[in-house]
Amino acid sequence: SETAPNTRVWVAGRGDATHVTRLLIAFRDWWGRARPADEQMARGVERLIGDGGTTFLLGAIGEAPPAGVCQLRFRYGVWYDAPDCELEDLYVDASARGRGLGGRLVEFALEHAQERGAQRIQLDANAANAPAQSLYRRYGFTSFGDPPGGDDLLLRRRLDIGGTHAG
């Protein structure tokens, strides 16, 4: 593993909600998005943290404040007769990049998903985000084809409810 020895990662609790929110807002800003608004993000984190279907991980270098976040979503997967895990978001602040924190978050996510009985963990990564793709491939994530052949694709459609579009 290329993980730096002084990284620490933990499951975020309710007392960590402000750190989770701050890092998810930074991720939103990194993407150049304006929505959801900061207050909406904070409400969303408060709603999800500790709901059983969502786990937020936080990571830090040494004793510094958290500089990385990872969101995991769990649901029952009929194809595996077991929990399925979606690694929905992973973000490391620019100040901590290149120091092994992203890798440690992925390792912890894999361990946590296995502890919860998940038989699969999946994610999506932007095709233009080469560092993210490299990180995930280093930990065994692949695009693959199941019979009858062809690569799996993640397809998405946003729903415009009430005239609002999340972007």
Side-chain angles (χ1 to χ4, degrees), residues 102-119:
R104 185 63 193 118
L105 282 162
V106 172
E107 289 172 356
F108 197 98
L110 293 169
E111 294 164 8
H112 184 74
Q114 284 184 311
E115 287 171 6
R116 293 213 27 190
Q119 297 294 304

Side-chain angles (χ1 to χ4, degrees), residues 131-160:
Q133 290 183 50
S134 176
L135 172 68
Y136 297 132
R137 289 184 193 288
R138 193 164 64 238
Y139 287 94
F141 287 88
T142 60
S143 174
F144 62 92
D146 284 328
D151 285 340
D152 289 342
L153 301 174
L154 172 69
L155 303 177
R156 171 182 305 156
R157 178 179 173 184
R158 300 204 187 274
L159 301 176
D160 189 9

Side-chain angles (χ1 to χ4, degrees), residues 6-23:
N6 63 339
T7 58
R8 54 191 180 96
V9 175
W10 64 96
V11 173
R14 290 211 175 270
D16 294 312
T18 56
H19 293 299
V20 171
T21 300
R22 172 181 53 82
L23 289 162

